[in-house]
Amino acid sequence: MASSLKCLVDDDSRYQKSFQIFLERSSEHQCMRDFIHNMLPDILASIGDGKSHLNVIGVGSGAGEIDLEMLAKLRLKHPRVTVDNEVVEPSSTQLHNYKVLVSQKPGLDYIKFTWNKMTATEFEEHWRVKKMTKKADFIHMIQMLYYVKDPGATISFFQSLLDKNGKLLILLVSGESGWGRLWRTYRNQLCNTEISQCVTTGDIKSFLDSKGVSYQSYELPSEMDITECFTEGDEKGELLLDFLTEVLDFSKTASPELKAGVLELLRHPDCSVESNGKVLFNNNLGVIVIDQLT
């Protein structure tokens, strides 16, 4: 990333604000929920190998809404099991929100929550130092591989933790989404080289193919209303632009040329469609499911 541009994730408060606007303007959580309700139960049906206790790891679990919906589907397919749920989340705000959600939701007695306020990389180090031998039946990484230095190595580590019939579920933006086009065009100007932020399911599939790892993949249609990004000085538009570019205060700190180029690309038919006066960005997601190493 150009030295004058700072990374959005370095300012957790602004990141959480921009993320909230993103959720309000996109169908992201709805399309995740559709996947969880329609596809996930069949994926989870075969895990556990008949055990009465299942180990789950959520990597980058955020505020827990999606985690709890997945755990509910797990319960549906395996009604008599108890669950040990390791939550890995570096944001204290999000962890707090997750704990509040758990305290308010009845019927979770079958789950033991272990809270790990750490990044995926710190969790991996912690696991190795403690020489943990515990295996996991289900590991999910929802929208978090942007924030690790080496997504391939992270996937390989968590795949190594899978038990017999275990599943690793990865959800990221699709290589065919507007994000993919934006990042392919401006990767060098926007992306922080310390952490591979510009990663899509296309990149992950290429990595898995190169390692000969088999997987199942799913495309989830989603869109985001980015109309406000094109109104100069619009606060919500600026927060959305920060989220799209992963740059802190992008509107104020990017060069006029970079800003104009990004805005032009965001409007391009490869990234968005214009409908009823709105600019709707292609926010398609992809899911990749990997089995235990054989």
Side-chain angles (χ1 to χ4, degrees):
M1 186 186 281
S3 56
S4 60
L5 298 181
K6 292 193 171 67
C7 191
L8 177 62
V9 290
D10 292 339
D11 183 334
D12 189 55
S13 166
R14 188 161 174 92
Y15 176 83
Q16 299 302 339
K17 268 189 212 162
S18 62
F19 179 58
Q20 207 46 52
I21 299 290
F22 161 71
L23 289 181
E24 288 169 15
R25 296 291 179 272
S26 77
S27 59
E28 169 126 344
H29 270 187
Q30 189 51 52
C31 88
M32 283 187 200
R33 286 190 173 100
D34 290 345
F35 173 80
I36 289 167
H37 292 296
N38 300 325
M39 317 289 286
L40 187 65
D42 288 343
I43 294 168
L44 295 178
S46 61
I47 71 167
D49 206 31
K51 293 184 300 190
S52 61
H53 181 80
L54 298 176
N55 292 322
V56 176
I57 304 175
V59 190
S61 287
E65 303 104 318
I66 299 295
D67 279 31
L68 293 187
E69 292 194 30
M70 289 193 285
L71 287 165
K73 294 300 170 192
L74 183 68
R75 179 72 162 171
L76 209 59
K77 283 290 172 184
H78 305 275
R80 285 173 293 282
V81 301
T82 53
V83 173
D84 186 5
N85 186 40
E86 294 265 3
V87 177
V88 182
E89 170 55 51
S91 166
S92 49
T93 307
Q94 295 285 56
L95 262 187
H96 170 75
N97 291 343
Y98 195 153
K99 289 176 183 177
V100 169
L101 190 63
V102 167
S103 71
Q104 293 170 345
K105 203 169 178 74
L108 298 179
D109 304 349
Y110 68 98
I111 307 172
K112 173 181 175 275
F113 289 90
T114 304
W115 308 102
N116 301 280
K117 186 191 172 302
M118 55 183 80
T119 64
T121 309
E122 288 165 347
F123 181 79
E124 181 176 342
E125 287 164 7
H126 163 78
W127 200 270
R128 291 189 196 280
V129 167
K130 289 200 152 188
K131 297 187 168 58
M132 302 282 280
T133 54
K134 185 168 91 170
K135 293 290 184 182
D137 302 289
F138 179 46
I139 302 173
H140 52 84
M141 310 166 96
I142 306 290
Q143 294 286 44
M144 59 66 61
L145 281 174
Y146 317 111
Y147 308 113
V148 298
K149 284 185 184 175
D150 185 341
T154 299
I155 290 169
S156 297
F157 168 71
F158 283 100
Q159 187 187 17
S160 76
L161 302 187
L162 290 176
D163 208 348
K164 186 182 177 188
N165 293 352
K167 302 277 184 189
L168 169 60
L169 184 147
I170 297 162
L171 185 145
L172 285 171
V173 295
S174 164
E176 305 307 309
S177 66
W179 296 95
R181 174 67 197 264
L182 177 65
W183 290 341
R184 281 193 295 277
T185 310
Y186 287 107
R187 189 183 291 260
N188 295 333
Q189 283 126 294
L190 297 177
C191 284
N192 185 341
T193 49
E194 279 299 296
I195 30 184
S196 315
Q197 291 182 31
C198 301
V199 62
T200 70
T201 52
D203 300 312
I204 301 306
K205 287 174 185 176
S206 298
F207 167 76
L208 295 173
D209 290 340
S210 74
K211 297 285 183 191
V213 175
S214 60
Y215 55 88
Q216 296 87 47
S217 68
Y218 308 83
E219 285 285 313
L220 315 184
S222 173
E223 63 186 22
M224 167 172 44
D225 182 351
I226 60 168
T227 314
E228 289 152 309
C229 294
F230 301 95
T231 304
E232 188 73 37
D234 186 285
E235 187 190 354
K236 289 183 176 175
E238 290 187 351
L239 283 164
L240 270 179
L241 271 174
D242 282 14
F243 195 80
L244 282 159
T245 59
E246 291 286 352
V247 171
L248 181 64
D249 291 320
F250 176 78
S251 291
K252 296 184 177 74
T253 58
S255 69
E257 298 77 20
L258 179 59
K259 188 177 170 187
V262 166
L263 286 171
E264 186 183 342
L265 182 63
L266 289 175
R267 267 206 133 104
H268 192 279
D270 284 354
C271 284
S272 299
V273 295
E274 300 204 28
S275 172
N276 299 324
K278 292 186 172 180
V279 183
L280 302 174
F281 183 76
N282 179 331
N283 186 55
N284 287 6
L285 304 175
V287 172
I288 296 172
V289 179
I290 306 171
D291 295 328
Q292 178 202 26
L293 277 168
T294 49

